[in-house]
Amino acid sequence: MSVTYPAGEGELPGRIMSGEMAEQPAMLRRILDEGAPAIRAVAAEIGARKPRFVLLTARGTSDNAALYAKYLIEITLGLPCGLASMSTTTAYGAKPDLKDVLVVTVSQSGGSPDLVASTKAAREAGGVTLAVTNNPDSPLAAVSEYHIDILAGPEKALPATKTYTASLLSLYLFVEGLRGGDGDRAAILPELAEAILARKDEVKALASRYRFAERMVITSRGYGYPTAKEAALKLMETSYIPALSYSGADLLHGPLAMVDNISPVIAVVTDGRGGEALQPVLDRLRGRGADLFVVGPKAQVEAASAGFVLPTAGVAEEVQPILEILPLQMLAYEVTIARGQDPDAPRALAKVTETR
């Protein structure tokens, strides 16, 4: 099946973002075919050092990929894992003891000064440092002991799409390598990604429903929660719609009060334990008359106001996020186009964000 999502159409707004979204099936195949052996080799070396704890460091879209890795590491490896606060070292000069701690820094460009500085400090503090980037020649790769190239190819649109899914798959293969797995559960992903991206007309019709939305709430649980956060980021940076992301558990602890029948709620329902844990939240949302948009299995979509059915049969829960984000990238693109804006070049943003 060929992907029919538009790419490179003259000077149309969004042509770069749409083209990069369309590259994702081929990119996933490239990682599985060409990148997996190198990722397994890095995982074997790091695994032999038996890290006692894992710290993940990232910003923006890469931070959402790191959160996905946190779920993988804690669930499949049983290792304690945390998201680092870089300012503790870059702004406050803290010097933690990181002996036998694996510090994984995720960055598409590998160029942000705070990521480089915090990774360098982590290595000096005894940490085992790994950079996961789309640029093996980056400053971040240079200061890290190990490096994984996510093989996404150049990404020119300001909203990150293919580098996000490339980071997810690379991190999945790395964690699988740490536990001696071969990552075979990911083999089905390129074919399914191609089928999802071919459903552009379906997403375009859904986007017209939310063209005039003034606010959105996005929720999920478990492996789907990073998808909710990434979808919110994509909607905000492309269409400028305020999009609030919450774990389903946190949504019930107060924010549910702002949900009404006007502001849309997008629920990412992973087929597995995460989706089961989200079910009481979906019931409460329906009880409040929410305009509920579901990305997930057919039965969940049919019980919602609208949605996008994901092909989850036979797909392991831990790799479903690589598919879940695709219709939401498309939704952000289509909503932005419908609002007369260019998703390739959101205002006030730069491709490499240099924080300190």
Side-chain angles (χ1 to χ4, degrees):
M1 180 186 298
S2 62
V3 174
T4 57
Y5 211 80
E9 300 179 24
E11 296 300 317
L12 291 176
R15 69 190 185 282
I16 302 175
M17 181 179 176
S18 67
E20 290 173 350
M21 286 191 291
E23 290 177 31
Q24 291 176 105
M27 178 205 69
L28 296 173
R29 289 189 182 96
R30 182 165 62 247
I31 295 169
L32 291 171
D33 294 342
E34 301 173 19
I39 294 172
R40 282 195 292 269
V42 169
E45 285 195 36
I46 292 176
R49 297 172 69 169
K50 300 187 182 302
R52 59 183 172 86
F53 190 90
V54 182
L55 275 178
L56 296 155
T57 308
R59 296 283 192 202
T61 284
S62 294
D63 197 36
N64 298 328
L67 180 59
Y68 166 73
K70 183 176 188 293
Y71 277 91
L72 281 174
I73 290 164
E74 291 182 343
I75 294 170
T76 67
L77 299 181
L79 280 176
C81 184
L83 297 174
S85 299
M86 282 172 279
S87 63
T88 59
T89 55
T90 61
Y92 291 93
K95 297 185 181 300
D97 178 7
L98 297 180
K99 183 180 179 182
D100 299 325
V101 173
L102 172 58
V103 179
V104 181
T105 306
V106 187
S107 170
Q108 59 175 343
S109 69
S112 187
D114 58 350
L115 294 170
V116 175
S118 63
T119 300
K120 184 174 182 290
R123 190 170 181 180
E124 292 170 349
V128 179
T129 53
L130 167 65
V132 179
T133 82
N134 197 36
N135 183 2
D137 298 319
S138 64
L140 179 60
V143 300
S144 300
E145 186 175 358
Y146 297 97
H147 178 258
I148 288 174
D149 185 351
I150 64 173
L151 299 178
E155 188 175 59
K156 297 180 180 179
L158 287 179
T161 53
K162 63 178 184 174
T163 53
Y164 180 68
T165 49
S167 296
L168 295 189
L169 180 53
S170 298
L171 288 164
Y172 167 73
L173 293 173
F174 170 68
V175 175
E176 278 292 285
L178 286 178
R179 69 176 189 145
D182 58 10
D184 61 342
R185 291 182 172 186
I188 196 173
L189 296 178
E191 177 184 350
L192 294 179
E194 196 169 44
I196 289 169
L197 289 168
R199 294 161 62 187
K200 65 182 183 68
D201 290 339
E202 182 181 340
V203 176
K204 188 173 183 178
L206 289 166
S208 65
R209 182 184 182 98
Y210 304 113
R211 177 180 178 183
F212 299 107
E214 296 182 358
R215 181 187 67 200
M216 288 187 179
V217 174
I218 308 179
T219 189
S220 188
R221 291 203 68 179
Y223 286 114
Y225 180 43
T227 307
K229 291 176 68 66
E230 174 62 11
L233 178 59
K234 283 293 149 294
L235 282 162
M236 288 189 287
E237 68 184 358
T238 57
S239 70
Y240 317 141
I241 296 174
L244 309 174
S245 59
Y246 295 98
S247 158
D250 288 331
L251 185 63
L252 296 184
H253 283 266
L256 183 68
M258 71 177 173
V259 173
D260 52 30
N261 62 354
I262 298 174
S263 299
V265 178
I266 297 175
V268 180
V269 186
T270 304
D271 191 1
R273 293 188 182 183
E276 293 169 6
L278 189 64
Q279 193 59 51
V281 181
L282 300 176
D283 293 340
R284 291 284 297 276
L285 289 169
R286 283 190 286 264
R288 291 190 59 80
D291 179 357
L292 181 60
F293 178 107
V294 166
V295 174
K298 183 177 180 180
Q300 295 289 350
V301 173
E302 290 176 342
S305 307
F308 187 98
V309 176
L310 277 180
T312 58
V315 182
E317 182 177 1
E318 59 264 35
V319 298
Q320 288 179 36
I322 299 169
L323 302 177
E324 289 167 349
I325 192 58
L326 300 178
L328 294 167
Q329 290 174 346
M330 296 160 70
L331 182 68
Y333 171 89
E334 293 291 358
V335 168
T336 304
I337 294 294
R339 289 164 71 96
Q341 294 147 199
D342 185 355
D344 284 344
R347 64 194 181 202
L349 295 182
K351 189 61 181 171
V352 179
T353 303
E354 295 192 354
T355 48
R356 295 185 182 274

